[in-house]
Amino acid sequence: MNLAQRLKTIIATAPGPEPVQAAGWLRSCRNSKSITFLDLYDGSCQAGLQVVAANGLDNYESEVKKLSTGCAIQVTGVLQESPAAGQAVELHATALEVVGWAHGASYPLQKKRHSMEFLRSIPHLRGRTNSMGAMMRIRNALTFGVHTFFQQRGFLQLHTPIITSSDCEGAGEMFTVTSLTSEQLAEQAKEDAPFNQDFFGQKVSLTVSGQLEAEAYALAMGPVYTFGPTFRAENSHTSRHLAEFWMVEPEIPFCDLDQDMDIAEEMLRFLVATLLDQCPAELEFFNRFVDKGLTQRLKGILANSFTRLTYSEAIAELQRAETVEKFAYPVTWGMDLQSEHEKFLAEQICKSPVIVRDYPTTIKPFYMRANDDDKTVAAMDILVPGIGEIIGGSQREERLDILTQRMAAQGVAPDEYEWYLDLRRFGSVPHAGFGLGFERLLLLTTGLTNIRDVIAFPRTPGQIS
């Protein structure tokens, strides 16, 4: 079997006598008396390629006329101008091989719009649809864009551990990793140290963040970033949460909160610009069928600088709005902003992405740098319309004495973080970083509203198939 050209290349090729070979899956088949029209798709672009197969083919009666949606074919032919609207060329077949048959009645995808709920029930096949194909190409472009952004600016990519003994967020909602059998676990549970016979000799979990490890290498190598899977055992069934998701986490030495915010904003704008340039067909699809304001909203992100507010200013704005707007959670200083507050700030008050900084100490993790007011820390969140929080970051606490005080106040055992404290003992410098929830970026850039629809195989409570 010869290697076929991708349809993205073929569709952009001018008609001519040279033979062209294409391969892919059929979205639809239409038979007339002596000609069959096939809509071929290979995932390389939004458009399909019309294949015209006439009865002169050797296998026309025995195979071509029996083709159905979902079949895989490889076809050789000649490109000709297409008389049909919406396509410049069509492929007139000189040879057609059926590579894989689809068993017609049982194939779940037909030439019609399927609901996202239905497609979630067949994650192994939904990549063949227009919506998931477009989303995955956008995801691919943004992935490459993340690496491009950091590599162009001299960051070093770091692969941080997936198995860890550190709870970066202090939330305790982590997946335990063990090599013990259920019987061994039950027996070990009777001991004071139930995991001392386990593979690592202690309790370990899947990581919720690569930040702490990234700090170690930022304080040795300069700016670094990690881009990988993270895990949260939060029993949440909302449209914004996954148990397995991807995070982009840069860590920058000799950097304060203002510079951290600048880099985060620059990165978001870079990624949106990359997408508008590289995926116009995919964005047009989502703008037409999912969110009619998508393209305009993305261009708006590039048009103006992000609004910046302190947490106290944001609370004051929300309290003023509360006189006419009914929030499910009343607004008080010291609270953790809820999704409804974040969206209201971005959509109604600022009408643009907004960066909120200097959050109360009591609602943020131990590693965030204490401000001089003894009430807030040098933390920031970027909130965007439709999503709410998309980036969270901070300047890290580089002062050993204050870090140990913060750990004690939050009940964090210092002996479990001796290596982290060493970073403050030996050549400590001001440094900062942030985390971008990659799937939330996908929600922003596609207009899709459920986070399960922007990852190939979503992992949520009770769902692993």
Side-chain angles (χ1 to χ4, degrees):
M1 183 177 291
N2 296 323
L3 189 64
Q5 288 181 271
R6 301 305 304 273
L7 293 193
K8 183 177 182 179
T9 302
I10 294 173
I11 290 169
T13 303
E18 298 82 9
V20 170
Q21 190 168 72
W25 296 266
L26 297 180
R27 281 178 166 166
S28 67
C29 310
R30 179 168 58 87
N31 289 314
S32 67
K33 279 188 177 181
S34 58
I35 298 177
T36 295
F37 297 94
L38 306 170
D39 183 8
L40 186 66
Y41 169 78
D42 75 348
S44 64
C45 59
Q46 195 65 18
L49 175 67
Q50 178 162 279
V51 175
V52 180
N55 60 3
L57 294 173
D58 292 343
N59 59 343
Y60 183 77
E61 292 293 336
S62 61
E63 292 187 320
V64 175
K65 287 186 72 173
K66 298 176 182 177
L67 287 169
S68 61
T69 300
C71 289
I73 66 168
Q74 183 161 296
V75 56
T76 302
V78 175
L79 281 179
Q80 297 188 16
E81 277 190 45
S82 175
Q87 55 188 30
V89 295
E90 58 188 22
L91 184 63
H92 287 245
T94 56
L96 189 152
E97 177 188 356
V98 181
V99 180
W101 290 96
H103 301 287
S106 61
Y107 185 66
L109 298 173
Q110 299 301 320
K111 193 176 182 180
K112 65 177 184 178
R113 293 186 68 180
H114 296 283
S115 71
M116 301 307 284
E117 290 80 6
F118 170 72
L119 294 179
R120 280 178 223 132
S121 71
I122 49 168
H124 55 297
L125 293 175
R126 64 177 181 167
R128 300 188 189 185
T129 64
N130 282 329
S131 56
M132 289 302 293
M135 187 282 297
M136 290 302 293
R137 285 187 294 276
I138 285 176
R139 188 175 178 118
N140 176 72
L142 288 173
T143 297
F144 192 77
V146 166
H147 292 294
T148 301
F149 177 83
F150 288 115
Q151 294 293 327
Q152 286 180 350
R153 288 156 180 79
F155 282 68
L156 183 79
Q157 185 185 8
L158 180 68
H159 297 138
T160 50
I162 289 176
I163 299 175
T164 181
S165 61
S166 301
D167 179 3
C168 177
E169 298 299 326
E173 296 167 334
M174 303 175 75
F175 289 101
T176 299
V177 177
T178 180
S179 63
L180 299 176
T181 65
S182 56
E183 291 80 8
Q184 289 172 320
L185 280 171
E187 187 64 28
Q188 288 295 310
K190 303 172 186 176
E191 305 294 328
D192 291 336
F195 291 93
N196 61 359
Q197 299 300 316
D198 208 345
F199 187 90
F200 292 101
Q202 66 179 95
K203 184 177 180 180
V204 297
S205 307
L206 295 179
T207 185
V208 298
S209 170
Q211 176 206 316
L212 301 187
E213 293 86 355
E215 284 189 54
Y217 273 82
L219 298 180
M221 305 289 295
V224 299
Y225 72 101
T226 180
F227 185 5
T230 52
F231 308 85
R232 194 70 64 85
E234 184 177 358
N235 190 22
S236 174
H237 296 263
T238 77
S239 61
R240 288 161 36 101
H241 291 90
L242 291 167
E244 178 183 340
F245 54 99
W246 286 68
M247 289 284 287
V248 178
E249 297 178 286
E251 204 66 35
I252 314 107
F254 307 101
C255 178
D256 62 19
L257 184 64
D258 289 313
Q259 294 165 312
D260 195 39
M261 293 189 294
D262 290 343
I263 294 169
E265 177 175 346
E266 184 186 0
M267 183 196 68
L268 263 186
R269 291 157 67 89
F270 177 90
L271 293 174
V272 169
T274 296
L275 207 55
L276 288 167
D277 177 61
Q278 295 184 8
C279 297
E282 287 77 12
L283 289 176
E284 172 55 29
F285 171 83
F286 285 117
N287 191 75
R288 181 180 178 188
F289 294 109
V290 175
D291 180 353
K292 296 191 182 299
L294 176 64
T295 302
Q296 182 179 358
R297 189 163 61 252
L298 292 178
K299 290 179 178 179
I301 290 175
L302 302 183
N304 302 293
S305 297
F306 294 2
T307 302
R308 298 191 180 189
L309 300 171
T310 65
Y311 171 87
S312 296
E313 290 169 339
I315 289 294
E317 291 283 357
L318 289 167
Q319 287 176 331
R320 277 192 286 272
E322 211 171 18
T323 60
V324 292
E325 181 73 20
K326 179 97 173 148
F327 293 124
Y329 294 88
V331 180
T332 57
W333 199 97
M335 70 178 297
D336 201 356
L337 294 179
Q338 301 297 309
S339 176
E340 60 174 342
H341 306 133
E342 295 171 344
K343 291 181 181 179
F344 193 86
L345 278 167
E347 295 168 14
Q348 303 299 323
I349 294 176
C350 299
K351 295 181 171 57
S352 71
V354 55
I355 307 180
V356 179
R357 61 175 292 167
D358 299 329
Y359 281 79
T361 304
T362 53
I363 62 172
K364 289 298 183 181
F366 68 90
Y367 55 76
M368 295 186 175
R369 192 181 200 276
N371 288 328
D372 293 339
D373 61 8
D374 293 326
K375 296 196 313 181
T376 62
V377 290
M380 66 90 175
D381 288 338
I382 298 184
L383 318 176
V384 294
I387 309 298
E389 181 193 343
I390 194 170
I391 285 177
S394 72
Q395 184 173 340
R396 316 312 190 188
E397 183 55 78
E398 85 280 12
R399 298 163 295 185
L400 178 62
D401 56 341
I402 296 177
L403 179 60
T404 53
Q405 291 169 20
R406 293 269 286 127
M407 293 172 73
Q410 293 196 8
V412 177
D415 57 335
E416 295 180 11
Y417 290 88
E418 278 300 314
W419 68 271
Y420 190 69
L421 294 173
D422 273 353
L423 301 177
R424 277 68 182 170
R425 294 186 179 107
F426 309 130
S428 183
V429 303
H431 58 289
F434 60 83
L436 164 69
F438 195 60
E439 281 72 29
R440 291 194 180 183
L441 176 64
L442 266 293
L443 292 178
L444 172 69
T445 53
T446 62
L448 292 166
T449 57
N450 195 313
I451 204 164
R452 295 169 178 84
D453 301 326
V454 294
I455 191 168
F457 296 96
R459 300 298 188 235
T460 55
Q463 179 64 45
I464 195 65
S465 63

